[in-house]
Amino acid sequence: RAYNRAGFAWADSSTYKGAGAYNKDGTLKDNAVVIYVTSETAKTVTAGIQVDKTIVQRTGFQDIMQALEKGTETRPIVVRIIGMINAADMDRFDSGDEGLQIKGKAKYANLNLTIEGIGNDAGINGFGMLLRNAGNVELRNFGVLNCMDDCISMDTGNCNLWVHNIDLFYGNAGGDSDQAKGDGSLDIKVGSTWVTFSENHLWDSGKTSLCGMTSDCYSHYYVTYCDNWFDHSDSRHPRM
């Protein structure tokens, strides 16, 4: 079915006027690189990514994402998750706190990236995702279970993020008394803006969704929450 492309991630006044590797009509953008990842191939999957002036073959889910940090790949990138990917299946994690790191070269870098689950059983288990300096990114249609700290942490200099149709479960227990179910599920902070969170299901989580953190948020946070289900979660629905 067609997804609802609404909210600040799709605002005409936003930086990229959309999010991810698909057009507004749901078709893939021209020249897209499509990568399929399963538990068996998360360490060995390969993709040719533009790094400086040449196409370089990168191997492994995290390694492919790390290549985007150079900022020289201009083609749309789609990663399609098939089935459940466990932490032990991954090639490595570039974020010791969250797990899979998705990072741009500088603030609001255009990654032109979609990470999506295929079917109704796609997910990641035992880790989450950290987005930093990432612009034009869509995450959709997968579950996040037993994350390290946050399920999805949008920390520092992100824009045009569209996080939708995702099941977010609780994480590993933290050191504080209110972190029995992990630190959080869906956090956004430190100058991140033009974001839409829509049609997500947040299951039995603790400190669920932080939006902003200090006075940096007062002038430039444009965030839409739409049709999310906070299901038996304890707090921060969201905390703004």
Side-chain angles (χ1 to χ4, degrees), residues 24 36 54 75 80 167 238:
K24 287 186 176 180
Y36 289 87
T54 60
R75 294 170 297 174
R80 291 177 173 165
D167 290 292

Side-chain angles (χ1 to χ4, degrees), residues 133-147:
N133 295 335
N136 195 10
V137 176
E138 174 190 19
L139 306 175
R140 74 183 188 193
N141 197 46
F142 57 89
V144 185
L145 299 84
N146 303 307
C147 56

Side-chain angles (χ1 to χ4, degrees), residues 73-91:
E73 177 58 78
T74 59
R75 294 170 297 174
I77 305 293
V78 181
V79 178
R80 291 177 173 165
I81 296 171
I82 308 294
M84 186 65 69
I85 299 174
N86 298 302
D89 302 324
M90 290 289 292
D91 53 328

Side-chain angles (χ1 to χ4, degrees), residues 4-19 24 136-137 158-163 188 192-198 211 219-226 240:
N4 178 19
R5 287 169 166 79
F8 280 121
W10 290 88
D12 289 338
S13 53
S14 66
T15 306
Y16 296 113
K17 301 178 176 59
K24 287 186 176 180
N136 195 10
V137 176
N158 304 291
C159 75
N160 288 92
L161 304 181
W162 185 25
V163 180
I188 176 169
S192 300
T193 189
W194 303 114
V195 177
T196 297
F197 301 134
S198 58
C211 181
S219 61
H220 55 263
Y221 270 48
Y222 296 93
V223 180
T224 299
Y225 287 85
C226 179
M240 296 184 177

Side-chain angles (χ1 to χ4, degrees), residues 8-194:
F8 280 121
W10 290 88
D12 289 338
S13 53
S14 66
T15 306
Y16 296 113
K17 301 178 176 59
Y22 287 83
N23 298 305
K24 287 186 176 180
D25 64 0
T27 59
L28 268 178
K29 293 177 181 176
D30 292 340
N31 235 9
V33 176
V34 181
I35 304 157
Y36 289 87
V37 183
T38 69
S39 61
E40 290 80 14
T41 66
K43 285 186 176 75
T44 59
V45 61
T46 61
I49 302 296
Q50 184 82 31
V51 177
D52 296 323
K53 296 181 179 180
T54 60
I55 298 288
V56 177
Q57 286 295 120
R58 303 299 289 257
T59 302
F61 192 175
Q62 177 66 87
D63 194 55
I64 293 168
M65 293 295 97
Q66 193 274 332
L68 301 180
E69 293 183 31
K70 294 293 290 185
T72 48
E73 177 58 78
T74 59
R75 294 170 297 174
I77 305 293
V78 181
V79 178
R80 291 177 173 165
I81 296 171
I82 308 294
M84 186 65 69
I85 299 174
N86 298 302
D89 302 324
M90 290 289 292
D91 53 328
R92 69 173 193 270
F93 293 123
D94 285 352
S95 170
D97 292 328
E98 311 293 357
L100 181 71
Q101 179 168 272
I102 301 161
K103 185 179 179 182
K105 183 176 182 180
K107 189 176 183 180
Y108 306 144
N110 186 5
L111 297 187
N112 211 2
L113 170 69
T114 289
I115 298 177
E116 62 180 342
I118 301 299
N120 60 7
D121 62 350
I124 60 175
N125 179 30
F127 63 100
M129 295 182 177
L130 171 66
L131 280 74
R132 181 167 288 167
N133 295 335
N136 195 10
V137 176
E138 174 190 19
L139 306 175
R140 74 183 188 193
N141 197 46
F142 57 89
V144 185
L145 299 84
N146 303 307
C147 56
M148 297 175 182
D149 190 47
D150 294 331
C151 289
I152 299 173
S153 177
M154 288 141 284
D155 184 341
T156 311
N158 304 291
C159 75
N160 288 92
L161 304 181
W162 185 25
V163 180
H164 65 107
N165 294 91
I166 289 182
D167 290 292
L168 299 140
F169 296 84
Y170 50 79
N172 293 331
D176 296 338
S177 60
D178 59 357
Q179 293 178 334
K181 300 176 183 177
D183 183 45
S185 298
L186 189 64
D187 285 5
I188 176 169
K189 55 190 178 182
V190 196
S192 300
T193 189
W194 303 114

Side-chain angles (χ1 to χ4, degrees), residues 188-215:
I188 176 169
K189 55 190 178 182
V190 196
S192 300
T193 189
W194 303 114
V195 177
T196 297
F197 301 134
S198 58
E199 299 183 77
N200 299 298
H201 193 170
L202 299 102
W203 296 76
D204 193 27
S205 48
K207 298 161 67 177
T208 306
S209 187
L210 173 69
C211 181
M213 189 165 65
T214 59
S215 59

